[in-house]
Amino acid sequence: MLKYILKRILLLIPVLIGATFIVFSVMDMTPGDPAVAKLGVDATAEQIEELREEMGLNDPFLVRYGRFVLNLVQGDLGTSYKTGLDVMQQIMQRIPYTFLLSFAALLFAIIVGIPAGIISARHQYTVFDNCTMVLTLIGASAPHFWLGLMGVIIFAVNLGWLPAAYTASGSLALGIILPMLTLGMNSTALVTRMTRSAMLDVMNQDYVDTARAKGVSERIVVFRHMLRNALIPIITVLGLQFGNLLGGAVTTETIFAWPGIGRYIVESISNKDTPCVLGAVVMLAIIVTVINLLVDIIYAFVDPRIKSQYKSMIRRAKKDV
Amino acid sequence: MSNRDKQGKFVQRSLSQQAWIQFRNNRLAICGLVVIALLILVSITTILIDLADGGELYKVFVTKNNLPMKLAKPSAAHPLGCDEYGRDLLFRLLWGTRYSLFAGICTILAAILIGGVFGSIAGFYGGKIDNVIMRFMDMVMTVPSLVLAMAIYAALGSSLVNLLIALTCSQVPQFARIIRSSVMTVKDSEYVEAAKAVGASDALVIVKYIIPNALSPVIVQGTLGVATTILNVAGMSFLGLGIQPPAPEWGSILSSARMYMREAWHISLFPGLAIVICILSLNLLGDGLRDALDPKQKR
C-alpha cells in the first residue's frame, strides 16, 4: 500500500506540471499588454518596452512558463497589477476560508446524503423515498447563487436570524450557516441520489442474494455487501464534488462576501489582474489534484481490484521499458 | 410489464419498444419531457418572432426601459412584475430561454462526442494510451469547471461562441471518465470476447457492443451535464462574466436583482424558479430515460 501511495505521489508531478501548463497557456492568451496594465495608458512606448524587457515578457513562451514554475516552487506568484501586493500571500490568507466553507458543505452532504440515499434505496417507492427524491430533485436543480439570494431574503432580510454577509467582526459560526447550506445543497442532493442509485444497482447483484441465502444478517448485507460496493461510485461523486464545491464557492463567496479564493478570482478577473487570476487558478488546480489523489488512495482501500489493476499497469510499463 | 397484448397473445417487442413502453409509464419523466419540449418550443418561437419582425417586439417588450413601472410588483398586466427598468419580467424570462437551453444542449453534445472518443479509446486499449489520455483529462479536471470556464472565457474574450468553447472544455473530462469506466467494465465480458473471436474489428466492437452498453450512464450524466452547463452559464452571467445585459439571460437578470433584494423580491424569485423548473425537468427526463434504458433496473 505504501508503495502504491508513493508511486501515485510521483505520478502527481507530471499532472501538476500539465495542469499549471494548461492554466498558464490559457491565461497567456488574455488580450492586453501586462506592461500597459501596470504602467497605465499614459506610459510612453519606451517605458512600456523597458518594462516588458524587465518583466521578461519578450522571452519565448516556454521560457516564461519555466520561469513561472520555478518561481511557483519557491512560493512566488508575482505581485498584483492593481494593488502591488504579493499574490501568494493574499491567496494563503484566503485559502483557509474557502477550505472551511467547502469542507463544511461536503460534510453536510455526507452526513445528510448517504444515510438518506441508503434509506431511500432500501424502501424504494415508499413515501420517504418519494419525498426524498422530490427534495433532492429540487436541491440538485437550484443554482447556488439563487439559493443564496433566497436564503438572504428569507433568513436575513425578513426574519433577521442570520447575517446576510460575512463580516470580520461578526460570529464565524453564525456567518457560515447560510453559505454552507447554499453551497452544500447541490452536493447533498447529488450524493443522496447517487447513493440511492448505486445501492439499487448493487441490490440486484447475485452476491447479495447469495449472502442473504447464506443467512447473513440484513445489517451486514446492507453495510458490507451492498454499501461497500456502492461506495465506489459514491466516492467518485464525492471526489468530483469537491472540485465542484470549490467552483461553486466562487458564486457563493461573492454573494456572502466570504473572504475566500473564489471571490478573489472574480474580483481579479473583473480587474483584469492577470497574475492574481493565474496564481489563484493554479493554486486551486493544485489543491484539487491533491484531493483527487487522496480520493484515489481511498478507492484502493475500498476496492482492492483497482490496486491490482494498477500493479499490472506498472508491470506492463516496466516491460515496455 | 406484460408481454401479452389485449387478446392475451404474446407479442414480440424490440428493446427500444420496451424502453419506450417503460418510459411512457413514468409520469414524472413524461412531465419533464413535456416541460423541456415546451421550453424548446418557447425559445424557437421567440427566435422566429425576432426573425419575422426584425427584433421589433424584442426591443419594445424585452429591452426598452419603462421607468414608471420600475420594480412594479406582480399584477394582472404584468403577471411576474417588472424589473429595475420597468421591463416586464415574464417577457424577459420567455426571451431568455434560448440562452440556457442552447448553451446547455450544444455544450453537452460536443462534450459527449469529444469525451466519448477519448474515453472509449482509453478504456478499450488500456495501457499507455489510457494512461496518457486519462492523465491529460485529470489535468483538465483539476480545475473546477466553472473556474476553468471563467479562465478560458476571460482569456478568449467575451462572445457567445467563446462561452460555449469554454463550457465544453470544462465538461469533456467528466464524459471521458465515465465512458472509459463503462467501457472497461464491458470490454472483458463474454460477448465482447465472442465478437472478437469471430473476427470483429475494434471499431465494430466499440460501436456495436461497447457504446450501447455505455449509453445509460452517459445519458444520466448527460442530463446532469446539461443542467450543470445551464447553471454555469447562469452562474457566469450572474458574476458578470457571461452573457451581458440587457440580454435577458436568467443569470444576468438575477445578478441585477441582487441590488433590489430588499424592495423587490420578485425579481430574485422568478428567474431562479425558471432555472429550477428547467433543470428539474431535465433531471426527471434523465431519470426516466435511465429507468427505461437500463434493463438491470427493471423490476
Side-chain angles (χ1 to χ4, degrees):
Chain A
M1 196 67 210
L2 194 71
K3 216 171 157 192
Y4 170 78
I5 294 174
L6 277 176
K7 292 224 159 116
R8 281 308 313 259
I9 291 174
L10 280 180
L11 269 178
L12 194 68
I13 295 167
V15 171
L16 282 180
I17 291 175
T20 49
F21 184 77
I22 290 171
V23 176
F24 188 83
S25 5
V26 166
M27 293 313 300
D28 196 60
M29 290 188 287
T30 312
D33 189 337
V36 177
K38 215 165 186 172
L39 288 173
V41 267
D42 304 327
T44 62
E46 284 122 50
Q47 280 176 312
I48 291 172
E49 196 43 46
E50 206 175 296
L51 189 67
R52 280 185 67 88
E53 199 58 52
E54 196 190 308
M55 288 165 83
L57 289 169
N58 293 333
D59 294 336
F61 175 75
L62 282 177
V63 174
R64 278 181 288 136
Y65 173 67
R67 191 163 42 221
F68 173 74
V69 171
L70 277 182
N71 287 340
L72 174 64
V73 173
Q74 293 163 22
D76 177 13
L77 283 170
T79 52
S80 156
Y81 290 161
K82 196 96 180 172
T83 56
L85 291 172
D86 185 58
V87 175
M88 186 59 111
Q89 216 172 1
Q90 279 185 297
I91 291 174
M92 282 305 160
Q93 275 167 8
R94 282 153 187 267
I95 278 181
Y97 284 96
T98 301
F99 258 49
L100 184 67
L101 182 56
S102 305
F103 273 119
L106 195 67
L107 205 65
F108 180 74
I110 293 172
I111 291 175
V112 177
I114 292 183
I118 294 175
I119 299 172
S120 270
R122 296 261 293 128
H123 305 278
Q124 201 185 3
Y125 302 133
T126 57
V127 177
F128 179 85
D129 182 34
N130 289 334
C131 290
T132 312
M133 284 303 101
V134 170
L135 281 180
T136 55
L137 273 171
I138 296 172
S141 311
H144 292 133
F145 46 91
W146 182 65
L147 285 174
L149 287 185
M150 290 294 115
V152 169
I153 289 181
I154 297 170
F155 294 106
V157 174
N158 283 323
L159 294 173
W161 291 350
L162 296 167
Y166 169 87
T167 43
S169 55
S171 148
L172 187 68
L174 273 182
I176 202 173
I177 294 178
L178 271 182
M180 177 189 78
L181 292 178
T182 302
L183 186 59
M185 202 55 82
N186 281 281
S187 308
T188 311
L190 212 57
V191 168
T192 311
R193 289 162 64 77
M194 200 63 209
T195 307
R196 178 178 179 271
S197 76
M199 287 293 279
L200 286 176
D201 272 345
V202 172
M203 251 175 197
N204 297 334
Q205 299 288 333
D206 291 340
Y207 55 77
V208 172
D209 290 339
T210 310
R212 286 219 177 90
K214 283 196 305 187
V216 175
S217 79
E218 192 59 27
R219 207 189 54 187
I220 293 183
V221 171
V222 170
F223 287 101
R224 193 171 298 165
H225 294 82
M226 292 190 201
L227 184 61
R228 209 165 158 183
N229 284 293
L231 268 180
I232 298 160
I234 297 171
I235 292 175
T236 315
V237 165
L238 283 176
L240 294 177
Q241 273 310 296
F242 200 82
N244 282 348
L245 283 176
L246 290 175
V250 175
T251 43
T252 311
E253 286 176 2
T254 307
I255 295 172
F256 293 100
W258 190 259
I261 197 168
R263 199 168 135 236
Y264 184 66
I265 294 177
V266 176
E267 284 170 359
S268 308
I269 289 183
S270 323
N271 290 339
K272 299 203 167 26
D273 204 340
T274 314
C276 303
V277 181
L278 178 61
V281 176
V282 162
M283 286 307 284
L284 261 189
I286 293 174
I287 293 167
V288 178
T289 314
V290 173
I291 285 164
N292 278 349
L293 173 72
L294 292 178
V295 173
D296 277 354
I297 291 173
I298 297 171
Y299 265 159
F301 271 111
V302 180
D303 186 356
R305 277 175 302 179
I306 287 171
K307 204 167 59 182
S308 62
Q309 178 205 330
Y310 173 80
K311 272 183 191 152
S312 69
M313 196 178 84
I314 291 287
R315 224 176 292 131
R316 268 203 305 273
K318 273 184 187 157
K319 241 185 263 167
D320 289 340
V321 175
Chain B
M1 184 177 19
S2 159
N3 283 326
R4 288 166 191 272
D5 64 9
K6 278 172 196 152
Q7 281 84 41
K9 283 186 192 145
F10 275 104
V11 282
Q12 257 195 336
R13 291 198 187 99
S14 70
L15 269 178
S16 52
Q17 279 171 320
Q18 287 211 7
W20 167 241
I21 290 171
Q22 180 93 6
F23 182 78
R24 209 174 51 187
N25 290 336
N26 187 339
R27 251 177 290 165
L28 281 175
I30 293 287
C31 284
L33 183 67
V34 169
V35 174
I36 291 300
L38 272 177
L39 287 174
I40 292 176
L41 197 72
V42 166
S43 53
I44 291 174
T45 317
T46 52
I47 291 171
L48 286 180
I49 291 175
D50 282 355
L51 288 178
D53 69 353
E56 206 50 46
L57 198 75
Y58 177 79
K59 270 181 222 143
V60 175
F61 287 103
V62 184
T63 53
K64 196 179 143 205
N65 295 357
N66 179 17
L67 290 175
M69 291 303 289
K70 189 181 163 191
L71 301 178
K73 290 263 148 63
S75 63
H78 302 281
L80 303 185
C82 294
D83 71 0
E84 72 274 19
Y85 294 111
R87 300 172 294 199
D88 184 87
L89 203 55
L90 179 62
F91 270 103
R92 285 182 67 74
L93 291 185
L94 289 180
W95 256 255
T97 46
R98 59 182 75 166
Y99 299 102
S100 305
L101 280 178
F102 287 109
I105 293 169
C106 295
T107 301
I108 292 308
L109 286 182
I112 288 178
L113 208 68
I114 301 169
V117 170
F118 282 119
S120 43
I121 291 174
F124 191 76
Y125 293 105
K128 258 187 182 169
I129 300 174
D130 179 32
N131 221 356
V132 170
I133 292 180
M134 291 327 284
R135 285 299 87 85
F136 180 75
M137 291 298 161
D138 280 354
M139 290 169 197
V140 181
M141 209 136 144
T142 47
V143 191
S145 71
L146 183 67
V147 176
L148 180 65
M150 276 163 51
I152 297 175
Y153 189 67
L156 292 181
S158 39
S159 81
L160 190 61
V161 178
N162 290 343
L163 183 65
L164 293 184
I165 293 173
L167 292 166
T168 306
C169 290
S170 62
Q171 288 293 318
V172 166
Q174 295 220 24
F175 287 96
R177 232 189 200 198
I178 282 159
I179 290 165
R180 170 179 172 266
S181 72
S182 348
V183 169
M184 278 169 70
T185 43
V186 177
K187 76 163 184 189
D188 292 328
S189 61
E190 283 87 354
Y191 57 85
V192 169
E193 234 168 86
K196 276 186 185 163
V198 294
S201 68
D202 284 357
L204 186 75
V205 170
I206 289 182
V207 171
K208 193 149 184 211
Y209 299 100
I210 290 181
I211 290 180
N213 276 293
L215 214 57
S216 58
V218 171
I219 287 171
V220 175
Q221 188 59 36
T223 32
L224 282 173
V226 173
T228 312
T229 309
I230 291 178
L231 292 176
N232 281 351
V233 173
M236 284 174 67
S237 306
F238 180 76
L239 297 171
L241 302 170
I243 294 157
Q244 302 295 329
E249 204 280 331
W250 296 342
S252 88
I253 301 180
L254 273 179
S255 173
S256 39
R258 272 179 76 196
M259 307 295 143
Y260 306 95
M261 227 153 44
R262 274 163 214 278
E263 55 272 48
W265 50 269
H266 61 275
I267 319 178
S268 299
L269 180 68
F270 293 120
L273 278 184
I275 299 175
V276 172
I277 289 170
C278 180
I279 287 163
L280 187 64
S281 312
L282 281 169
N283 286 339
L284 291 173
L285 180 64
D287 274 8
L289 286 172
R290 178 183 199 275
D291 289 348
L293 291 172
D294 193 350
K296 274 183 287 179
Q297 290 288 307
K298 274 186 194 153
R299 299 190 314 151

